[in-house]
Amino acid sequence: MAKILSTTPRADGFRMPAEWEPHSGCWMLWPERSDNWRRGAKPAQHAFAAVASAITEGEPVTVCVSPGQYVIAREMLDPAVRVVEMTSNDSWIRDCGPTFVVSDEGVVRGIDWKFNAWGGLGDGLYFPWDQDDLVGEKVLEYERDDRYAPDFILEGGSIDVDGEGTVLATEECLLNPNRNPNLDRAGIEQMLRDYLNVDSVLWLPKGVHLDETDGHIDNFCRFVAPGEVVLTWTDDTADPQYAISADAFERLASMRDAKGRSLKVHKLHQPRPVLITAEEAADVDHVPGTLPRQAGDRLAASYVNFYIANERIVMPGYDDPRDLPAQQMLADLFPGRRVTVVPGREILLGGGNIHCITQQEPLGKIKRARRAA
Ligand code: KQY
């Protein structure tokens, strides 16, 4: 039986691996709520299905679906995808799902963080979030993985690790009083050290302009290798993103990671501003308690929100002239992986992108052996 552990990954010799380390698979949730996804979530479902198909080329994918959508999802999803029943409030498993950690012996465990819909009753994005908060536990039960369950609110999209002792995060999100108001910077750093088993926390002040997650790092700046990051960028000094990215670039240039390396920063130019059309806004149900979608609102479009699968990168495209250079840059940065571009607009209309709707599970030695048997 899987256990709930009262120790910490650091004390037990477990660490969060980098996303480019081998996976046993990828987890996703199925979108259906009509107050976040237009037209009863049908266009989003097609977009999620395309992401799942692209990832299955590199690793097994499991999509968790509510009872009412099971048959529909099973029909729409690639036959290679495993579909299991699971209730949730929405479909952002990066944030409400578990974070997996591994030991040097190849044992996999999970961290079941607390989740409050990106800010709780004050400025969270919807209410309730009780079923989302159970997703981490449910996935770990399926996997029979022992779990840590700290009393700490954290979304997976708010951290990015190199697997060698360094984590990137934004102050805008992790130090926001709407997450863990009882902890100061030192207290939050200690939680990251203890649970991710890192030695250095590299802080950037803000994330992407108008990102409704309070500036998640996974949409803004991510490791692509030890000592190398990609940073969303614009050359347009009049764009509000310019000052945020330029400031981050300067800070990153003077940082050292846990191994003492300085960072190589790759500027990944953002697409043109993506605005919600009147038709798109009209097709989302308006429900009190859920962040409304309004015509003309700018979305936090970024190419940094890609998923690193085994032998594949799956990145969002925006039908934009910058799509191709972004794909080329990621292909150069990940030479062993083919880069697949999947249309990202429908997912972006819900408030995030491909990385936000996926959660990798690392390949531990025990699962490796189980699979070979
Ligand atoms: O981008 C994400 N990690 C999640 C965005 C949540 C949006 C809810 N409307």
Side-chain angles (χ1 to χ4, degrees):
M1 198 181 94
K3 292 190 292 285
I4 303 178
L5 304 157
S6 55
T7 49
T8 65
R10 187 179 190 92
D12 297 343
F14 283 71
R15 68 178 174 97
M16 182 182 178
E19 197 165 309
W20 55 79
E21 294 182 48
H23 300 174
S24 65
C26 174
W27 290 81
M28 296 176 66
L29 291 163
W30 187 245
E32 67 171 288
R33 60 185 297 158
S34 61
D35 59 343
N36 192 57
W37 304 104
R38 71 187 181 120
R39 296 192 197 159
K42 198 48 67 189
Q45 291 176 353
H46 285 289
F48 276 53
V51 170
S53 276
I55 297 173
T56 56
E57 289 176 18
E59 64 199 40
V61 176
T62 303
V63 177
C64 307
V65 181
S66 75
Q69 285 280 320
Y70 178 85
V71 175
I72 296 160
R74 183 58 284 173
E75 282 298 312
M76 285 176 69
L77 286 160
D78 192 311
V81 170
R82 171 173 73 156
V83 182
V84 300
E85 207 174 278
M86 191 183 292
T87 306
S88 63
N89 300 107
D90 200 359
S91 44
W92 308 97
I93 201 164
R94 175 65 51 190
D95 293 344
C96 65
T99 296
F100 290 95
V101 290
V102 291
S103 68
D104 289 346
E105 293 72 42
V107 177
V108 175
R109 291 179 176 172
I111 309 171
D112 177 20
W113 312 102
K114 295 255 172 303
F115 177 75
N116 76 347
W118 308 274
L121 286 179
D123 42 349
L125 301 180
Y126 50 72
F127 175 86
W129 53 81
D130 57 326
Q131 293 303 315
D132 279 353
D133 197 23
L134 288 171
V135 168
E137 174 180 330
K138 289 177 182 175
V139 168
L140 296 168
E141 285 284 333
Y142 265 117
E143 293 302 88
R144 299 181 189 281
D145 288 337
D146 292 343
R147 66 183 185 272
Y148 302 93
D151 186 14
F152 184 68
I153 290 170
L154 186 121
E155 302 105 41
S158 70
I159 50 167
D160 192 68
V161 298
D162 67 353
E164 297 191 1
T166 305
V167 63
L168 276 164
T170 65
E171 295 169 344
E172 182 186 354
C173 182
L174 263 66
L175 303 189
N176 195 315
N178 65 11
R179 302 308 208 278
N180 296 287
N182 52 326
L183 290 177
D184 60 8
R185 180 192 298 261
I188 285 168
E189 286 193 3
Q190 195 56 50
M191 289 301 288
L192 299 178
R193 284 177 214 279
D194 287 343
Y195 282 86
L196 306 177
N197 199 352
V198 293
D199 298 312
S200 297
V201 183
L202 303 184
W203 291 104
L204 295 174
K206 291 180 176 181
V208 170
H209 178 57
L210 298 179
D211 189 327
E212 64 194 51
T213 61
D214 298 317
H216 270 188
I217 198 76
D218 72 340
N219 203 32
F220 182 52
C221 180
R222 289 179 59 203
F223 283 106
V224 290
E228 287 190 47
V229 298
V230 281
L231 173 69
T232 203
W233 187 257
T234 177
D235 292 321
D236 178 1
T237 54
D239 188 310
Q241 187 59 44
Y242 181 84
I244 299 171
S245 291
D247 174 64
F249 185 81
E250 226 170 84
R251 288 169 192 266
L252 288 161
S254 64
M255 287 177 183
R256 301 261 164 188
D257 68 12
K259 300 274 189 221
R261 292 175 286 238
S262 53
L263 300 174
K264 186 166 183 189
V265 185
H266 303 274
K267 295 174 176 172
L268 187 48
H269 204 292
Q270 68 180 10
R272 289 171 299 215
V274 176
L275 311 182
I276 306 180
T277 67
E279 189 193 345
E280 286 165 344
D283 284 347
V284 180
D285 287 340
H286 192 264
V287 167
T290 299
L291 185 75
R293 301 281 171 220
Q294 273 149 1
D297 281 355
R298 178 168 171 178
L299 296 159
S302 163
Y303 295 110
V304 171
N305 214 300
F306 55 85
Y307 179 71
I308 310 173
N310 296 338
E311 296 169 22
R312 293 282 183 287
I313 300 292
V314 184
M315 66 159 259
Y318 302 97
D319 207 7
D320 185 282
R322 300 273 182 191
D323 287 2
L324 197 56
Q327 182 181 13
Q328 191 55 56
M329 177 180 279
L330 292 180
D332 292 344
L333 292 172
F334 292 98
R337 290 175 157 91
R338 174 139 53 87
V339 182
T340 305
V341 181
V342 173
R345 185 178 181 101
E346 288 298 336
I347 311 172
L348 183 63
L349 284 170
N353 227 307
I354 292 171
H355 196 250
C356 312
I357 63 165
T358 50
Q359 182 63 251
Q360 72 281 357
E361 180 171 354
L363 181 60
K365 287 198 186 112
I366 290 173
K367 283 192 182 132
R368 218 174 287 191
R370 221 188 269 157
R371 201 188 285 170

